[in-house]
Amino acid sequence: MFVPTLMGQCTPEQQAYWLPRALDMQIIGTYAQTELGHGTFIRGLETTATYDPETETFVMNSPTLTSYKWWAGGLAKTVNYCIVVAQLYTKGVCHGTHPFIVQIRDEETHMPRPGVKVGDIGPKLGFNTADNGYLGFDNYRIPRDNMMMKNAQVLKDGTYVKVARHGKATYGTMVFVRVLLVNEAAFNLAKACTIAVRYSAIRRQCSPDSEGSELQVLDYSTQQHKLFICIATAHALQLNSTWLWKTFSDTLAAIKQGNVDTLPELHALSSCLKALSTADAASLIEQCRHACGGHGYMMSSGLPYLYAFVTATRTYEGDYTILLLQTARFLVKAYEQVEAGKPLTPTVSYLSQAFTGKKLPWDSSPDGIIRAFQALAAGKLSSTVKSLRKRLESGLSYEQAWELSTIQLNGAAEAHCRAVMSQNYKSEIERLTVNSSPNVKLVLQQLYKVYLYYWALERTGDLLLYTSISESDIFELQLRYEGLLKEIRPNAVGIVDAFDLRDEVLHSALGSYDGNVYERLMAEAQKSPLNAEPVNQTFHTYLKPMMKGKL
Ligand SMILES: CCCCCCCC/C=C\CCCCCCCCC/C=C/C(=O)SCCNC(=O)CCNC(=O)[C@H](O)C(C)(C)COP(=O)(O)OP(=O)(O)OC[C@H]1O[C@@H](n2cnc3c(N)ncnc32)[C@H](O)[C@@H]1OP(=O)(O)O
Ligand SMILES: Cc1cc2nc3c(=O)[nH]c(=O)nc-3n(C[C@H](O)[C@H](O)[C@H](O)COP(=O)(O)OP(=O)(O)OC[C@H]3O[C@@H](n4cnc5c(N)ncnc54)[C@H](O)[C@@H]3O)c2cc1C
C-alpha cells in the first residue's frame, strides 16, 4: 500500500523524490491509517499533524492511547518509513485527515527516531509472518514537504489549499486495494478447491453396496455440492476481478482528464465486490476444509493457513458490513433517480424496469435467473426505501431512520452485488469463449449454471417474494442442479488442474499433483518435534511421578 499511495497521493515532484527510493527498496514503508480506537470511521482518527510556519514543519502527536496507530503491516520491526494518516491543523483550523510521509527509524542504525514509539501488536489468528505494529508520536517533527500534496497543500505560511476535485480523493489507495482483493479472493479460493478436489479423488470412504469397493468421496453428491460451487465461485470471482480492474482503469483515466463522474459507481462496485468476494472466499475455503474431513484440519493440508489469511481480508481494507452499506447509499440514490425519471449508470440500469409492483414471471434459463436476481435486488431495495421513509414519517432523523434500516440495506446491497456478479460472469464467459472449442465452452457453462442454480436455491425465500416461482419450479430446479453436479464430476480434477497451480504454491500434503496423500502426510508428521526422541522429557518430569503417585 506504500507504493500505490506514493503514486496516487504525491505531486510529480514528490513522486520523483520518493518513488525511486521506495521501488529500489532504499526505504521500506507501510500504510498506517487505522488506530487502536478507530479503523472504520476514518474521520474519527485522532493522530494530529499541526503545521508550524516558523520551522516549516508538521508536529506529529498521539494525544491519547486510542490515537496510537495499530495494525499497519511491517510497522513493528521492518519498515523505516510510514504513510501516516492524521488530522491536519494549520492556522488553528482542523482540515480533516490527510496523508504524510513519516520517517520512523534511522536509515543506518534502524533505531526508532526520538519522539517515535513503535512496536509489535502481538500474535494474530493468521498473518504471523507479518510484523503488524503500533506507532505513537510525541511532538515529532517532519518537514512541510512530507505532506502528500497532490490533493491538498499547506503553503509555507500555513495557508491551506484544496486541489482535488473529489472530497474522497485521499481514499484512493483503499479503492485500489479493494479492487486487487477480488483477484486475491479468486486466487486463494482456486488453491483451496484444487486441494480439496484432488484429495477427494484420492480419498475413499464407505461402500454403498456390500459387495462393491469403497467410493472416491468425490463421487458423493453431497461432496460435489460442497466443492463444485467452490470451483464455480473461483471462476466467477476471477472474471469479475478482470472486469472490475477494467472499470477501475477507465475511471482512473477519466479522473486524470479531470472527470470524477464515475468515481461514485466505482466506489459502490469495488465496495460490494470486495465485501462479497472476500466473505464468499473465506466461507468456501472453510467448506473445502470440511470436505477434507480430519486431514483438512492438519496444518500440512495448507487449508488452515489459507483460511486464516483470507478471513482477514473480509475485515481489512473496509469491513464487510461497512462496505455493503456504502453500496447501499449508492443504491438508494439510484432508486431516487428512477423515481425522478433520471438516467441511471450502467450497473444499476436494470432498476429502471424493475419497480412495476408485479412479481417477475419465473424463467429458469440462465438469463431468466439473472433477471430474477435483479428483481430480487430491486424488490429488496424498494422494501428498504419504504421502511426508511416510514421511519422518517414517524419523525426520526435521516440518520436514525438509516441506522434502523441497515439490516435491510445490507440485504439489498448483497442482492445487487450477486446480480452484478452473475451478469458479469455470464458476459465474460461469452466474451472469452468466442473462439474456444465446444467442449471448453460446455464445461465453463456447466460451472456457470452451477453458480446460478446454487444461489437461486439458496434464495428460494426471496424468489418466492419477488418472482412467480412456484413449489414445483423449485423442485425442478433442485433436480437440474443435482443432475449438473453429475455432469461435472468426470471433469472435476481436470478443471482444478487447469488452475495450473504448482505444488510449491499449494503447499499441501493433500493437494499435490502426484496424489501421494498418505505418504506426504506421514512425511510431514515426521517433522513434528515430538517425534525427535522416543521418550519425551515430560514423561520423566510429570507423567511418571504422577503415575507412581509421587506428584
Ligand atoms: C502499482 C503497484 C501495483 C502493485 C501490484 C501488486 C499486486 C499484488 C497482488 C495482490 C496483493 C493484493 C492484496 C494486497 C494486500 C494488502 C494488505 C493490506 C493490509 C490492510 C490494509 C488496511 O486495512 S488499510 C486501512 C483500510 N481502512 C479502511 O478501509 C477503512 C474503511 N472506512 C472507509 O473507507 C470510510 O471511512 C467509509 C467508507 C466507511 C466512510 O467514510 P466517511 O468519510 O465517513 O464517508 P461517509 O460520510 O460515509 O460518505 C461520504 C461520501 O463519500 C463517499 N465515499 C466514501 N468512501 C469513498 C471512496 N473511497 N471513494 C469515493 N467515494 C467515497 C460515500 O459514498 C459518500 O458519498 P455520498 O453518498 O455522500 O455521495
Ligand atoms: C490482518 C490485518 C491487516 C491490517 N493491515 C492494516 C494496515 O496495513 N494499515 C492500516 O491502516 N490498517 C490495517 N488493518 C486494519 C483494518 O483496516 C481495520 O481493522 C478494518 O478497517 C476494520 O476496522 P476496525 O478494526 O476499526 O473495526 P470496527 O469498525 O471497530 O468494527 C467492529 C464491528 O463494528 C461494526 N461497525 C463499525 N462501524 C459500524 C457502523 N457505522 N455501522 C454498523 N456496524 C458498524 C463492524 O461491522 C464490525 O462488525 C489491518 C487489519 C487486519 C485484520
Side-chain angles (χ1 to χ4, degrees):
M1 292 188 73
F2 186 61
V3 168
T5 312
L6 293 178
M7 288 168 134
Q9 307 289 330
C10 283
T11 60
E13 298 74 39
Q14 290 179 314
Q15 274 192 28
Y17 178 73
W18 291 108
L19 259 183
R21 301 195 76 207
L23 291 173
D24 286 353
M25 296 206 193
Q26 292 165 19
I27 59 171
I28 304 179
T30 188
Y31 183 84
Q33 178 174 288
T34 306
E35 294 173 356
L36 197 48
H38 290 97
T40 293
F41 186 49
I42 301 171
R43 284 180 287 142
L45 296 177
E46 298 174 86
T47 304
T48 55
T50 308
Y51 186 62
D52 172 13
E54 299 276 300
T55 53
E56 294 181 16
T57 55
F58 288 99
V59 188
M60 310 290 298
N61 269 303
S62 307
T64 58
L65 172 64
T66 48
S67 73
Y68 267 62
K69 293 294 171 191
W70 196 267
W71 267 122
L75 173 60
K77 294 288 167 195
T78 309
V79 309
N80 51 7
Y81 280 78
C82 264
I83 286 161
V84 173
V85 180
Q87 300 286 354
L88 164 64
Y89 285 85
T90 178
K91 296 191 174 181
V93 177
C94 178
H95 292 278
T97 58
H98 288 72
F100 299 83
I101 303 170
V102 182
Q103 180 177 358
I104 60 165
R105 288 179 180 271
D106 185 272
E107 284 192 27
E108 288 304 318
T109 64
H110 210 57
M111 279 295 287
R113 303 256 294 183
V116 169
K117 289 169 256 173
V118 62
D120 181 57
I121 62 171
K124 300 140 292 189
L125 189 151
F127 264 100
N128 284 306
T129 51
D131 52 329
N132 298 79
Y134 66 79
L135 175 68
F137 299 110
D138 183 10
N139 285 317
Y140 182 65
R141 286 178 184 264
I142 58 168
R144 183 184 69 94
D145 286 348
N146 284 27
M147 173 177 167
M148 303 177 97
M149 297 228 198
K150 180 176 171 191
N151 295 310
Q153 298 176 355
V154 171
L155 306 183
K156 283 185 182 171
D157 69 350
T159 306
Y160 178 79
V161 183
K162 189 106 194 134
V163 183
R165 284 168 193 264
H166 194 279
K168 301 295 176 192
T170 53
Y171 291 1
T173 308
M174 287 184 281
V175 176
F176 170 69
V177 177
R178 286 170 195 154
V179 171
L180 291 184
L181 285 173
V182 181
N183 190 265
E184 273 289 292
F187 178 55
N188 287 308
L189 181 55
K191 285 195 232 171
C193 55
T194 304
I195 294 168
V197 169
R198 284 182 179 168
Y199 173 68
S200 300
I202 300 297
R203 185 70 167 176
R204 287 178 184 272
Q205 202 78 241
C206 310
S207 175
D209 60 79
S210 53
E211 302 300 308
S213 58
E214 287 186 279
L215 284 188
Q216 290 163 284
V217 292
L218 192 53
D219 284 332
Y220 292 107
S221 299
T222 46
Q223 189 78 351
Q224 293 159 8
H225 176 53
K226 280 176 224 167
L227 292 179
F228 296 170
I229 183 61
C230 299
I231 306 176
T233 306
H235 284 199
L237 296 182
Q238 179 61 52
L239 295 172
N240 271 278
S241 105
T242 316
W243 173 87
L244 183 61
W245 179 254
K246 183 170 180 328
T247 310
F248 174 79
S249 309
D250 292 348
T251 304
L252 205 63
I255 292 174
K256 281 187 180 148
Q257 301 299 318
N259 178 356
V260 292
D261 293 353
T262 51
L263 184 58
E265 187 169 35
L266 171 68
H267 170 55
L269 282 169
S270 56
S271 292
C272 70
L273 279 168
K274 184 273 183 186
L276 225 61
S277 61
T278 54
D280 283 358
S283 64
L284 291 175
I285 289 169
E286 176 69 340
Q287 191 157 297
C288 287
R289 184 184 70 75
H290 298 160
C292 294
H295 295 327
Y297 195 67
M298 296 294 295
M299 295 308 271
S300 60
S301 76
L303 293 169
Y305 287 112
L306 270 177
Y307 176 73
F309 185 70
V310 173
T311 195
T313 62
R314 185 185 153 122
T315 301
Y316 69 64
E317 224 51 66
D319 160 77
Y320 176 83
T321 309
I322 294 307
L323 291 185
L324 282 185
L325 286 174
Q326 287 292 307
T327 306
R329 276 175 88 109
F330 183 77
L331 290 177
V332 170
K333 282 190 186 153
Y335 184 93
E336 289 161 356
Q337 282 170 312
V338 175
E339 282 185 319
K342 290 187 183 156
L344 293 170
T345 51
T347 53
V348 283
S349 61
Y350 69 88
L351 292 175
S352 60
Q353 313 294 327
F355 305 116
T356 55
K358 290 186 195 143
K359 287 186 173 185
L360 181 85
W362 172 248
D363 163 6
S364 64
S365 70
D367 282 339
I369 296 178
I370 293 178
R371 280 196 297 279
F373 288 167
Q374 292 173 342
L376 208 143
K380 287 189 167 209
L381 177 60
S382 174
S383 323
T384 307
V385 173
K386 275 189 199 125
S387 305
L388 197 59
R389 289 182 179 167
K390 208 168 168 191
R391 286 174 170 139
L392 285 171
E393 280 161 21
S394 77
L396 294 179
S397 70
Y398 192 80
E399 288 71 23
Q400 287 167 327
W402 177 272
E403 200 292 313
L404 288 172
S405 311
T406 45
I407 299 171
Q408 293 182 55
L409 285 160
N410 264 12
E414 195 261 353
H416 164 72
C417 192
R418 194 73 67 195
V420 170
M421 277 176 67
S422 304
Q423 174 63 59
N424 287 336
Y425 188 3
K426 175 173 183 283
S427 30
E428 285 295 288
I429 283 212
E430 281 170 0
R431 188 176 69 79
L432 292 167
T433 56
V434 171
N435 298 317
S436 301
S437 73
N439 287 343
V440 167
K441 260 187 208 173
L442 177 72
V443 169
L444 292 179
Q445 280 167 4
Q446 285 170 338
L447 286 166
Y448 161 63
K449 283 187 202 161
V450 159
Y451 188 82
L452 292 185
Y453 294 176
Y454 179 95
W455 280 107
L457 290 165
E458 283 287 304
R459 294 286 180 266
T460 46
D462 291 333
L463 289 173
L464 285 162
L465 275 179
Y466 300 114
T467 75
S468 69
I469 197 167
S470 64
E471 197 181 336
S472 64
D473 292 329
I474 295 173
F475 180 66
E476 194 238 355
L477 191 66
Q478 180 72 32
L479 291 184
R480 274 168 59 185
Y481 172 71
E482 288 165 8
L484 199 50
L485 297 179
K486 297 298 163 201
E487 287 173 40
I488 292 171
R489 163 64 184 99
N491 287 319
V493 173
I495 296 168
V496 296
D497 283 353
F499 285 127
D500 205 14
L501 298 165
R502 294 202 322 269
D503 287 352
E504 295 92 323
V505 174
L506 291 177
H507 200 62
S508 166
L510 305 188
S512 291
Y513 188 73
D514 61 13
N516 290 335
V517 167
Y518 299 114
E519 293 81 350
R520 285 174 189 276
L521 279 171
M522 185 56 88
E524 288 300 319
Q526 296 316 309
K527 295 177 188 167
S528 166
L530 292 184
N531 292 326
E533 49 191 0
V535 177
N536 195 260
Q537 277 310 310
T538 50
F539 173 77
H540 300 291
T541 319
Y542 300 111
L543 290 182
K544 193 172 177 187
M546 181 188 74
M547 290 153 83
K548 302 280 179 205
K550 290 182 184 157
L551 250 191

